[in-house]
Amino acid sequence: MKMESQLEKIARFQHLELLANQIVEGFISGMHKSPFHGFSAEFAEHKLYNVGESTRHIDWKLFAKTDRLYTKRFEEETNLRCHIIIDNSSSMHYPKLDSNQHFYENKIGFSVLASAVLMHLLKKQRDAVGLSVFSDDYDYYAPEKGSDRHHRMILNQLEAILEKPQVAKTTDTVSFLHQIAEKIHRRSMIVLFTDMFQLEDDEKLFEALQHLCHNKHKVVLFHVIDRKTELNFDFDNTPRKFIDVETGEEVALFSDNVQEVYKKEAEVYFKKIALTCARNRIRYVPVDVGDDFEKILLTYLVEKQKFG
């Protein structure tokens, strides 16, 4: 089942946790039938049986289905700490949604639901999760923990982000990334959702991203964009007024007159980000608000395997 149709099927659920649960469970179900079957046991809270281990916790029902030996994992097994960072500046609340659109069809909604999806997966795997949110201030911080109460607290915070659209909120991304890096002391996987639209000098931004990698952290940057308009500048050719949602600056133009130049400039900037991330061993993953969540889940799985 494609993730798009799955999202349509579960759109009747308004609760963030239910949405995340449905997406993860659908993904797990698909994994059992995919080339990534080797990963799927992790989702079922199992791990491969190693010769010499006690056979007491072998799941014989799963053996009957898969012809492979897995042992059940238990609550005290926490082997990963993950800190999720969400850029909540005004540009992340683009595009403005119509009343008939789902909340996850703009950048902040997509990022919030993707975070909830990762949190649900982390919870299933008994891993610890923390959260940082920044806009024109360091809005929220929660350290990495694995309890149900902590999980619920973070979900409430994610829901609050959706209820309070940001208006004219710029962000000092560089300062906040440095602050977050200083707060995360134990080795963790750091997952950042941002559109990378900021006013700071590029080199300073890249230094801040590099700071996140200190203490042997694994950093994954999900570059969230509305590809149609923000990369391809695909608008109908009528005169339009474009307004910077953070500064309020306005410009009137025909999109066709600047589309080719804009697209080239955007592609250069995106390639620069990708190359800088590669040099700093940051996993760079561009995602479109129209994408499903499979890329995010698979990226997490692959990076967790490398985490060690």
Side-chain angles (χ1 to χ4, degrees):
M1 179 187 295
K2 287 186 176 181
M3 199 69 71
E4 292 94 340
S5 60
Q6 185 187 7
L7 282 171
E8 291 170 5
K9 180 180 177 182
I10 62 178
R12 62 184 180 274
F13 292 116
Q14 294 303 308
H15 197 288
L16 187 61
E17 189 172 21
L18 284 174
L19 275 167
N21 175 62
Q22 291 291 315
I23 291 169
V24 172
E25 296 305 321
F27 179 73
I28 294 168
S29 176
M31 290 282 278
H32 281 283
K33 301 169 186 176
S34 79
F36 296 95
H37 178 74
F39 286 124
S40 61
E42 283 194 72
F43 291 108
E45 298 177 38
H46 290 77
K47 61 182 179 182
L48 275 171
Y49 170 75
N50 294 314
V51 177
E53 290 181 341
S54 169
T55 59
R56 187 158 57 102
H57 299 303
I58 288 177
D59 188 330
W60 296 108
K61 288 183 180 179
L62 190 58
F63 173 73
K65 292 179 182 179
T66 65
D67 202 31
R68 300 180 74 180
L69 292 174
Y70 294 101
T71 56
K72 294 180 181 179
R73 302 177 67 184
F74 292 91
E75 195 159 342
E76 62 271 15
E77 294 188 52
T78 298
N79 53 13
L80 181 87
R81 302 169 68 83
C82 180
H83 196 88
I84 297 171
I85 306 172
I86 298 177
D87 173 359
N88 191 30
S89 56
S90 294
S91 65
M92 286 289 287
H93 289 256
Y94 176 87
K96 186 176 181 180
L97 300 177
D98 297 329
S99 58
N100 62 341
Q101 288 184 281
H102 301 298
F103 74 86
Y104 48 79
E105 292 183 67
N106 71 2
K107 291 183 286 186
I108 195 64
F110 181 92
S111 300
V112 163
L113 182 51
S115 298
V117 165
L118 287 177
M119 283 177 56
H120 187 78
L121 190 53
L122 287 156
K123 183 179 180 182
K124 286 181 70 69
Q125 299 183 299
R126 315 299 183 189
D127 292 328
V129 63
L131 176 69
S132 286
V133 182
F134 66 88
S135 55
D136 59 345
D137 199 359
Y138 193 163
D139 299 329
Y140 183 81
Y141 167 76
E144 303 81 42
K145 295 182 181 178
S147 69
D148 287 345
R149 182 179 179 183
H150 184 77
H151 186 87
R152 181 68 256 168
M153 180 182 74
I154 292 180
L155 278 173
N156 287 341
Q157 182 61 35
L158 292 177
E159 289 167 350
I161 292 173
L162 298 175
E163 294 167 3
K164 298 176 184 177
Q166 300 285 44
V167 179
K169 291 266 189 176
T170 57
T171 181
D172 182 2
T173 305
V174 170
S175 294
F176 297 131
L177 290 184
H178 281 301
Q179 288 180 43
I180 294 167
E182 292 293 337
K183 281 182 174 287
I184 305 172
H185 302 294
R186 296 175 62 181
R187 186 168 181 254
S188 304
M189 182 185 293
I190 298 174
V191 177
L192 171 60
F193 290 95
T194 179
D195 56 10
M196 295 296 287
F197 289 137
Q198 40 76 42
L199 300 176
E200 294 94 343
D201 177 81
D202 286 348
E203 294 307 315
K204 290 182 179 178
L205 175 62
F206 296 143
E207 285 175 11
L209 288 172
Q210 190 176 20
H211 190 183
L212 288 177
C213 298
H214 288 192
N215 296 324
K216 298 183 179 179
H217 298 314
K218 167 75 73 175
V219 179
V220 181
L221 193 164
F222 287 113
H223 187 178
V224 187
I225 59 167
D226 178 39
R227 184 175 289 112
K228 180 181 178 182
T229 59
E230 292 183 321
L231 177 59
N232 297 329
F233 209 67
D234 185 6
F235 296 93
D236 56 67
N237 194 33
T238 56
R240 288 177 176 268
K241 181 190 290 183
F242 293 86
I243 304 171
D244 188 313
V245 293
E246 296 192 2
T247 67
E249 186 179 349
E250 299 180 7
V251 59
L253 50 79
F254 286 90
S255 61
D256 277 7
N257 292 348
V258 299
Q259 184 179 28
E260 187 175 343
V261 173
Y262 175 94
K263 189 174 179 181
K264 285 181 180 178
E265 290 292 325
E267 287 175 349
V268 167
Y269 178 57
F270 284 22
K271 284 178 182 177
K272 183 178 180 180
I273 296 170
L275 287 171
T276 302
C277 287
R279 282 199 298 268
N280 291 292
R281 297 184 180 180
I282 294 171
R283 182 77 166 90
Y284 173 75
V285 185
V287 287
D288 176 49
V289 293
D291 287 346
D292 57 41
F293 294 92
E294 184 172 327
K295 182 189 289 188
I296 287 168
L297 287 164
L298 284 176
T299 298
Y300 162 80
L301 272 180
V302 171
E303 295 307 312
K304 182 177 181 180
Q305 291 289 105
K306 295 176 182 176
F307 193 73

